[in-house]
């Protein structure tokens, strides 16, 4: 009986009066249930964390929908064993430089002797630039002369190369002299050059896609030695480089089109 009274005196009052009314005291948990409660709390924390991450991911996706994806910037030295990003970038830039060269040689409304330099002539001894086979001079703004005295046997091949150059030229031959009348710069001719510029750009983009595909295929070969996340990150970097290069080509095309159409 005495023991029971001591226990009763240690118990806090279940209810007490206050200005705010009746208040329940905090619940005291027996020690034997502590481990069970802690374990349950851990599970709650895990579930809560998983739920929070899930909701955060959904929120981030919803927020990022329709927006530009974050850019990646991989240290090339860290992935040298997988792929050389420097070499890939060099190959992509080579495609851009080739397009610039095509624009400069094939798409011009200004008459000059150098306008025919790039034309490649196919002979029985191989392929040669026209300016290595004949002497090119500008007779007037509307006429270019090609003197084939050094290699007269290649005159017919030179005429064929000029006609098939895509420059809308119709050469005339007089012995070893090739006369190339330069057409007037009409609106139709300007539009034809602008169309040719788009065709050259699309062809360059095809070459760019080949560079990207070759690089991605090389990366995929490393799947057995590196993580899937690393593979995806490197592939994203390569795609980003290709997108940047394509945008550079579009900028070149826009500038050339503006120049041609006036």
């Amino acid at each position: 009986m005495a023991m029971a009274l001591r226990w009763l005196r240690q118990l806090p009052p279940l209810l007490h009066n206050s200005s705010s009314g009746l208040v329940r005291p905090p619940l005291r948990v027996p020690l034997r249930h502590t481990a069970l409660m802690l374990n349950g709390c851990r599970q709650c924390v895990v579930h809560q964390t998983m739920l929070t991450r899930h909701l955060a991911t959904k929120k981030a996706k919803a927020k990022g929908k329709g927006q530009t994806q974050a850019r990646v910037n991989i240290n090339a030295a860290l992935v040298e064993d997988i792929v050389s990003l420097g070499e890939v970038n060099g190959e992509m830039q080579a495609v851009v430089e080739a397009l610039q060269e095509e624009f400069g040689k094939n798409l011009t409304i200004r008459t000059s002797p150098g306008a025919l330099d790039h034309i490649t002539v196919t002979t029985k001894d191989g392929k040669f630039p026209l300016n290595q086979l004949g002497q090119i001079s500008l007779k007037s703004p509307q006429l270019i002369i090609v003197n084939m005295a050094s290699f007269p046997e290649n005159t017919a091949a030179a005429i064929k190369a000029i006609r098939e150059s895509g420059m809308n030229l119709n050469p005339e031959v007089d012995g070893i002299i090739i006369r190339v009348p330069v057409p007037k710069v009409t609106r139709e001719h300007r539009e034809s050059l602008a169309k040719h510029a788009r065709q050259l750009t699309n062809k360059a983009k095809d070459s760019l896609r080949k560079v990207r595909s070759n690089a991605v295929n090389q990366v995929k070969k490393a799947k057995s030695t590196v993580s899937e996340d690393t593979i995806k990150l490197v592939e994203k970097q390569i795609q980003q480089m290709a997108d940047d290069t394509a945008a550079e080509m579009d900028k070149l095309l826009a500038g050339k089109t503006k120049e041609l159409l006036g």
Side-chain angles (χ1 to χ4, degrees):
M1 182 65 179
M3 185 178 293
L5 289 174
R6 283 199 300 272
W7 276 102
L8 288 174
R9 279 197 294 268
Q10 292 176 5
L11 291 175
L14 296 178
L15 298 172
H16 67 85
N17 293 323
S18 71
S19 58
S20 59
L22 297 177
V23 179
R24 287 185 184 272
L27 178 63
R28 295 181 181 272
V29 181
L31 291 176
R32 65 178 180 272
H33 297 304
T34 303
L36 180 60
M37 289 292 291
L38 287 175
N39 185 55
C41 289
R42 290 194 189 99
Q43 292 180 2
C44 290
V45 170
V46 171
H47 289 305
Q48 181 64 33
T49 302
M50 292 176 64
L51 178 60
T52 301
R53 289 177 179 173
H54 175 68
L55 293 176
T57 302
K58 288 182 67 177
K59 185 177 180 181
K61 287 182 178 179
K63 185 177 180 180
K65 207 169 186 179
Q67 298 180 359
T68 304
Q69 292 184 353
R71 293 177 63 84
V72 296
N73 188 16
I74 298 176
N75 186 335
L78 298 178
V79 294
E80 278 292 331
D81 293 339
I82 302 175
V83 66
S84 173
L85 293 177
E87 290 183 5
V88 174
N89 183 65
E91 291 178 13
M92 291 183 177
Q93 287 304 308
V95 176
V96 176
E97 291 169 5
L99 179 62
Q100 287 178 309
E101 188 176 352
E102 288 282 359
F103 280 179
K105 291 179 177 179
N106 292 328
L107 305 174
T108 178
I109 56 176
R110 296 184 296 273
T111 304
S112 68
L116 305 183
D117 286 353
H118 71 284
I119 294 178
T120 301
V121 182
T122 302
T123 72
K124 62 180 181 179
D125 297 319
K127 295 182 178 181
F128 301 92
L130 179 61
N131 60 358
Q132 290 185 11
L133 300 177
Q135 183 180 0
I136 304 174
S137 60
L138 185 63
K139 180 91 172 171
S140 71
Q142 283 75 44
L143 182 64
I144 297 176
I145 300 295
V146 182
N147 188 332
M148 298 294 296
S150 298
F151 298 93
E153 69 277 11
N154 292 322
T155 301
I159 292 173
K160 180 181 179 182
I162 294 171
R163 283 178 178 161
E164 296 177 354
S165 65
M167 297 178 66
N168 194 30
L169 300 174
N170 188 24
E172 303 168 355
V173 63
D174 181 10
I176 57 173
I177 301 296
I178 301 175
R179 302 177 185 274
V180 186
V182 179
K184 284 187 176 182
V185 183
T186 62
R187 184 66 184 179
E188 182 180 359
H189 181 55
R190 289 176 179 269
E191 291 176 352
S192 175
L193 290 176
K195 180 180 179 180
H196 190 39
R198 289 193 297 272
Q199 292 172 343
L200 289 174
T201 303
N202 290 335
K203 184 178 179 180
K205 286 185 177 180
D206 287 339
S207 298
L208 175 63
R209 280 189 284 270
K210 289 180 182 178
V211 174
R212 182 197 64 80
S213 296
N214 290 338
V216 170
N217 289 337
Q218 183 178 345
V219 171
K220 288 180 177 178
K221 292 179 181 179
K223 281 188 175 181
S224 60
T225 58
V226 297
S227 68
E228 185 176 349
D229 288 341
T230 301
I231 294 294
K232 289 182 178 179
L233 195 62
V234 177
E235 288 179 351
K236 185 176 181 180
Q237 176 77 73
I238 294 172
Q239 182 62 56
Q240 181 176 286
M241 292 163 59
D243 291 342
D244 291 345
T245 306
E248 189 176 351
M249 291 180 181
D250 289 336
K251 188 175 180 180
L252 287 174
L253 175 60
K256 176 56 71 172
T257 301
K258 184 177 179 179
E259 173 192 326
L260 295 172
L261 296 181

